């Protein structure tokens, strides 16, 4: 398939992920939307790697995958810890660090 | 020697349309579901469709890893978090500051439009041209990606392993109940 179709799909996926990050209130859903954004980036990397015939894009996508795992571990730990102490995970109502 | 693929056949087109459509559909479900478990299952579907797209780009090693890491490891993490923090929300879309958020979404949409225009307009350039031959026969296999990973990208590989270790320690440290918390829970129980 032509490479630009993959880039278009990746752009649409990134747009959906950004919309989720901006509009959802629940921290869990925001983390899921961040996963969508990272996946969109990986897809674009692999499409360009295929077009250029270069495997270094695969290595970078591999590193992004490991990074996504680390981000999910730390992010979910923060969500659980905030829920334990505040009993809420709405991002609008968590403002302990403000003022 | 290079393997010659016979261009995009009808089967290739069908596979691409089905995979891309289910990818975007599952992604939309992920950000619109009210229940966290439903959104999680849609995220699993997104990962599987993404792995299929990787396979059509002849990135077979990454396709397998996508299933293993996303549908396996990250999903288990999310399921445990949902189990602890299970709370469906009545108003999933934020209403406070909606104007600013809508402006952000509109700006992202404009960015999407501009980038898509560039991609469509420049679709004849070399980078994104249709390549029907694989550069090397073992392109995207675990052996050739792994060889690159352990030669040119050895330092990033070791750095990311250290980062994962730090993330695991941080996760344990953050999710463990603190002393004051435990006392308040015990006080609430009696």
């Amino acid at each position: 398939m032509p490479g630009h179709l993959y880039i278009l799909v990746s752009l649409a996926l990134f747009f959906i992920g950004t919309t989720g990050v901006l509009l959802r209130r629940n921290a869990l859903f925001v983390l899921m939307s961040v996963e969508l954004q990272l996946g969109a980036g990986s897809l674009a990397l692999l499409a360009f790697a295929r077009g250029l015939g270069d495997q270094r894009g695969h290595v970078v996508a591999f590193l992004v995958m490991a990074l996504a795992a680390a981000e999910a571990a730390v992010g979910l730990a923060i969500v659980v810890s905030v829920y334990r102490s505040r009993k809420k995970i709405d991002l609008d109502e968590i403002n302990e660090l403000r003022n | 020697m290079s393997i010659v693929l016979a261009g995009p056949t009808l089967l290739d087109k069908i596979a691409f349309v089905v995979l891309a459509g289910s990818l975007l559909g599952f992604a939309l479900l992920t950000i619109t579901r009210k229940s966290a478990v439903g959104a999680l299952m849609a995220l699993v579907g997104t990962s599987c469709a993404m792995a299929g797209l990787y396979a059509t780009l002849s990135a077979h090693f990454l396709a397998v890893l996508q299933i293993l890491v996303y549908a396996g490891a990250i999903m288990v993490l999310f399921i445990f978090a949902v189990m602890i923090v299970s709370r469906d929300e009545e108003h999933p879309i934020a209403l406070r500051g909606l104007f600013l958020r809508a402006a952000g979404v509109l700006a992202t949409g404009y960015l999407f439009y501009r980038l898509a225009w560039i991609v469509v307009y420049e679709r004849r350039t070399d980078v994104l041209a249709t390549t029907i031959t694989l550069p090397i026969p073992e392109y995207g296999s675990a052996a050739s990606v792994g060889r690159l990973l352990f030669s040119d990208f050895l330092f990033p590989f070791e750095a990311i392993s250290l980062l994962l270790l730090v993330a695991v320690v941080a996760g344990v440290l953050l999710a463990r109940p603190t002393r004051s918390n435990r006392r308040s829970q015990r006080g609430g129980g009696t």
Side-chain angles (χ1 to χ4, degrees):
Chain A
M1 292 301 294
H4 72 273
L5 290 180
Y6 286 96
I7 305 295
L8 284 182
V9 170
S10 156
L11 278 175
L13 187 60
F14 190 83
F15 175 61
I16 293 173
T18 311
T19 309
V21 168
L22 286 174
L23 287 186
R24 295 305 296 254
R25 305 169 64 184
N26 194 325
L28 281 175
F29 288 87
V30 172
L31 280 176
M32 288 184 209
S33 307
V34 171
E35 299 290 336
L36 289 182
Q37 286 179 308
L38 288 169
S42 296
L43 183 61
L45 272 173
L46 289 180
F48 278 116
R50 183 73 178 84
L52 290 167
D54 195 340
Q55 285 186 328
R56 280 177 289 185
H58 291 210
V59 178
V60 178
F62 173 81
L63 297 179
V64 167
M65 211 174 273
L67 208 64
E71 173 255 324
V74 176
L76 290 174
I78 289 175
V79 168
V80 167
S81 134
V82 167
Y83 180 75
R84 277 227 179 96
S85 58
R86 302 276 177 271
K87 294 295 169 201
K88 63 193 172 190
I89 49 173
D90 277 5
L91 292 178
D92 285 350
E93 300 169 8
I94 298 170
N95 50 10
E96 267 75 22
L97 282 182
R98 194 179 288 169
N99 68 49
Chain B
M1 178 198 149
S2 60
I3 297 172
V4 177
L5 301 175
T9 60
L10 181 64
L11 208 58
D12 286 342
K13 288 175 185 164
I14 292 174
F16 178 80
V17 168
V18 168
L19 286 172
S22 58
L23 175 69
L24 295 181
F26 277 128
L28 277 176
L29 276 182
T30 304
I31 67 163
T32 49
R33 286 293 90 184
K34 263 188 187 176
S35 80
V37 177
L40 209 53
M41 290 305 121
L43 194 58
V44 172
T46 312
S47 305
C48 292
M50 184 88 87
L53 275 184
Y54 288 178
T56 63
L57 284 167
S58 45
H60 306 112
F61 178 51
L62 264 292
V64 173
L65 271 188
Q66 173 83 14
I67 297 278
L68 280 180
V69 173
Y70 275 87
I74 293 184
M75 233 23 75
V76 172
L77 268 180
F78 268 104
I79 283 176
F80 272 110
V82 168
M83 200 175 72
I84 295 172
V85 192
S86 79
R87 166 177 293 187
D88 288 355
E89 42 186 354
E90 306 86 41
H91 308 291
I93 304 293
L95 284 180
R96 199 189 310 169
L98 188 64
F99 177 71
L100 214 55
R101 289 162 195 264
V105 172
L106 278 182
T108 319
Y110 182 68
L111 182 69
F112 167 70
Y113 164 70
R114 295 299 296 193
L115 286 173
W117 188 80
I118 289 173
V119 170
V120 170
Y121 185 72
E122 298 281 343
R123 67 180 178 277
R124 302 249 172 252
T125 55
D126 287 332
V127 176
L128 289 172
T130 313
T131 50
I132 59 169
T133 58
L134 285 173
I136 48 174
E138 65 268 19
Y139 180 82
S141 72
S144 68
V145 175
R147 205 171 294 125
L148 200 57
L149 192 60
F150 282 107
S151 57
D152 287 355
F153 288 86
L154 188 59
F155 179 70
F157 180 71
E158 295 296 338
I160 211 93
S161 67
L162 188 65
L163 179 81
L164 279 173
L165 178 67
V166 171
V168 168
V169 174
V172 171
L173 205 62
L174 279 172
R176 203 179 49 175
T178 57
R179 184 169 297 160
S180 63
N181 230 335
R182 216 177 291 147
R183 196 183 300 141
S184 75
Q185 276 172 5
R186 200 178 298 145
T190 51

